Structure formats: C-alpha cells, structure tokens
Amino acid sequence: MKYIYGLNKSGLSLVTYLKSINEKYYCWDDDETIREKLIKTNFKTNFIKPNHLDAKLVDEAFITPGISLQDKKIDILKKNNIKLFRDLELYSRLINCEKIIAVTGTNGKSTTTKLIGDILQLCKIKNFVGGNIGLPLMEFKNLKIDELYHIIELSSFQLESAPSFSPFISILLNISPDHLDRYDNYEDYVSQKEKIISSNQYSFNIISVDNEICSKIFRKNKQNKMIPISIDPIEEGIFFKDGHIIDKFFYKSEVLPIPEISSSLSSSFNKQNILAAYAVVKILKLNTNKFVKCVSNFIGLPHRMEEIVNNKEMCIINNSKATNVEAALKSLQNYKNVNLILGGQAKEDNFISFINQKDKINKIYLIGKSANVIFQQLGSSIDCEIFDKLEDALKKIFLDNAIKKELLTILFSPACTSFDQYKDFEERGNHFKNIVASSVL
C-alpha cells in the first residue's frame, strides 16, 4: 500500500491515479481547509496522519515536493523503514524513458521547457509539457496522454528521491544559491540538481558551462554523453556569437543565423535557453528553420520578464518569478535608468551584488519582510526607500518620475519569495499587473 503526504496538485494527481487502478492508499494534508474541501467534493478520503499510520500496511510513501524530506513530521515514516519518494519516481516507473526530455536549473527552466514544447508543436510532434510547470507529472496517466515526447520541468525537490528516473535528454541550465532554507548547505542543493544527469549510454545531457558549478559537473561527467552550451565561445560545444548559433558539437563548425529573437527571449540570459532548445532540435533531427521561426515568435510565460507596458513614455516589466538574487540581477542586463522594486521574504542574506549594477538603477523601492535587511546592505550606495505595500511603491515611482522626460523603466524583479504577503509568485505578479492596469492602462 502507498501513502501520499501532501495533497497539492501533484499529490492529488497521485491519488487520482491510484484510485483509477484500484490500488489501496492512505493520504494526508496538514492543511485542514484542503481536507475539508476534498470531503465536500466527495473525495474518497482515507485520511490518516503520519503518526497514526500502521506502518505494516505501507511499503512506500510519496511526499509532496513542498515538504522537506528532513521534516520531523515524516520521521515516523523513516523510523518504520518506509521508503520515501517524490512523484517523479512513480512517473518514471510508468513511462518509457526514451520519451523524457527533462529540464532543470535555478533559473530559466520554465521558459526552456515551454520553448521546446512550442518547437515540437510547430513541427507537428505531439508532446506533453508538465512537472513543475503546467500539469503534474501523473496527469499523463490520468488524462490518458500518449504523446511521443514529454518535456518536463523538474525542481531540485522533485529530483531528490527518484531512483528510477533516467531521461532520454537531460538539460541543466545553471546553478546558483537557492532554497537554502531546505538544504543543509549549498553543496547539498547542487548535488540534488546534478541528479538530472543520466548515465544511460543512450541518453544525452545538455549542460551550460557558463557558471563554475555546472562547468565542474560537466568535467566530472565527461564519461557520459555531455553536450556543453554557452553564451560565450567554447571549444567543441554550442555557443552564441554575433547573433548566430555556432555549433561545434554536431558539426565541425556549423553557423545558424538567428535574425530575430522574440521580445520574450531578448534578455541576454535567455540565450542559454535558446541554445538548450537548439541542442534538442539537433538530437531529434528537427527542422532548424522551424526552430528559428519559433525563437522569433515565442510568447513567454506570465511573470517572467513580462512586458506589460512598452511605449514611448514607459516600459514596465513584471518579473515576479525572480525569487532569488541571481534571477533579479540578470533581469537588469538589457535596461538602464531602472526603477527597481525589490523585496518579499528573502531566501538568502546577501544582496551586495546589486551595487555592481548601480549604474543601471535610478532607485530601489523596497517592500516586504526583508526590506530592512536589503536597505542596510544597499542604502549607502544606491538610493533606496521602504514601503509597506506594492501599490505604495508604484505610486511613489510615478510621483518621482512625474517631472522627468526620459523613458520610465519600472522593473518588478523582487529577488525574494512572495510568501510574506502572497500565496505565490503568480498572485504577486497578478497583483502588480492589476495595480499597473488601474494606474496607467
């Protein structure tokens, strides 16, 4: 019998599958409102708390990614030698691994996942996009989806405990400090990300070597089929140069012009995402003209460098998905005279790197729980002001710029999670867009 702990989307998807095959299970969610909602919808409960569970009846448990495998609440499961997995494990047991194109990275994985899915769609190749983006992994069974390829976005949490996982194509975009509240140290976080690398002789591993950590992983795993990509020139890899993709991996030196890049991919860090998608195109032997067309017409996901206003007077960008420092720093690359909104609940305690970008920043408007911490680090070098609410920060931005005639650039790239004031980054981003709509649209 299986035990499902955590009834968010992925947990419910697991339960739905087990019910469909008439396999017995128990489940639990600590949130009483979730349990009550499920009872009202005639959900077959089988609710049992972990510490009330008869361990003799359960052989394995699937823990929602939102709960740490180190959480004391599941110690009772460990003491009773119940094997602990994520949903990725059951998914991997049920699918032909030759179908899986898996994407991870600290930043950019959602954009890359969608881009690959869009390219396959343009090439009329049926595909399932899911995981940490869109549909939960197990929905491919629940919805009876039988597509040729699955493009799945994976978080470090999903990769933690899935021994059956072995993708046909793995993509590791980058690694920088993130989720350190869930790991003992940075090295532990890195080791979880590295689990995406497949040692299967028939698999391909696409890895950006642009940061030191990923470069070390590339060198360490050279015995596997590794495809290095970079936004700068590299030997025997795939890289960008002067608006062209230079391919020294599949060819001695193939040059593919990229005449136009969608505004959703225009930031320089998105070149990494484009290169990863190109490598997939070459592995699958797809039409490169359609790849170029897709890059030029790509429509990005909400809350990821989403331009919500762009005219002669102002440019307003919603990048609520930037929940760590590196993502926020990268979002500054293509802009100047920026009115930057930072803050929320910090994942990390070092914001000093923003001082290196002070030439791009007019002023920083700080919000949320970590506003004072950020102010203490940046206030002596960059003009900063603290606000209670997001709407107050935006109101002050418009007041500060009322008499200026230059292009007003507002970048909402918080570098923090949203959990101090919002349910998630989507709710935060939608709130930002609603404030802008009521103010200027």
Side-chain angles (χ1 to χ4, degrees), residues 56-99:
K56 294 177 183 177
L57 300 177
V58 177
D59 56 350
E60 55 186 12
F62 292 86
I63 313 299
T64 179
I67 297 173
S68 169
L69 294 180
Q70 308 305 318
D71 197 308
K72 291 182 179 179
K73 290 179 288 189
I74 58 175
D75 279 352
I76 189 68
L77 303 179
K78 296 177 184 177
K79 287 177 182 177
N80 286 285
N81 297 315
I82 296 173
K83 296 176 182 177
L84 306 181
F85 299 113
R86 300 299 194 191
D87 62 337
L88 179 61
E89 170 59 18
L90 187 56
Y91 167 85
S92 299
R93 295 176 193 173
L94 298 172
I95 188 173
N96 180 345
C97 288
E98 292 179 9
K99 289 188 171 189

Side-chain angles (χ1 to χ4, degrees), residues 28-39 47:
W28 183 256
D29 195 290
D30 294 322
D31 190 330
E32 185 178 358
T33 58
I34 290 177
R35 300 197 306 271
E36 289 177 349
K37 183 179 178 181
L38 292 173
I39 291 169
F47 289 147

Side-chain angles (χ1 to χ4, degrees), residues 186-204:
Y186 183 35
E187 289 73 22
D188 189 17
Y189 170 66
V190 169
S191 69
Q192 302 309 322
K193 285 292 190 186
E194 189 176 352
K195 286 181 179 178
I196 200 168
I197 301 297
S198 176
S199 58
N200 188 315
Q201 63 176 322
Y202 302 108
S203 296
F204 295 86

Side-chain angles (χ1 to χ4, degrees), residues 98-111:
E98 292 179 9
K99 289 188 171 189
I100 302 175
I101 301 169
V103 184
T104 199
T106 302
N107 301 305
K109 52 187 178 292
S110 296
T111 297

Side-chain angles (χ1 to χ4, degrees), residues 364-375:
I364 295 178
Y365 301 77
L366 296 166
I367 61 170
K369 183 178 180 180
S370 299
N372 285 310
V373 172
I374 302 172
F375 184 88

Side-chain angles (χ1 to χ4, degrees), residues 301-316:
L301 291 159
H303 317 300
R304 288 121 169 130
M305 295 303 292
E306 178 186 15
E307 288 188 353
I308 51 178
V309 176
N310 193 350
N311 55 39
K312 292 180 180 180
E313 296 179 352
M314 65 182 68
C315 178
I316 305 179

Side-chain angles (χ1 to χ4, degrees), residues 308-357:
I308 51 178
V309 176
N310 193 350
N311 55 39
K312 292 180 180 180
E313 296 179 352
M314 65 182 68
C315 178
I316 305 179
I317 303 102
N318 166 31
N319 196 32
S320 179
K321 182 61 172 70
T323 59
N324 58 65
V325 168
E326 180 162 325
L329 287 170
K330 285 182 175 179
S331 67
L332 285 163
Q333 290 178 356
N334 284 22
Y335 301 97
K336 59 183 180 179
N337 300 321
V338 175
N339 297 277
L340 177 64
I341 304 174
L342 287 182
Q345 184 174 315
K347 291 180 178 179
E348 48 203 301
D349 57 8
N350 190 346
F351 290 81
I352 295 296
S353 299
F354 283 97
I355 294 174
N356 298 329
Q357 301 295 322

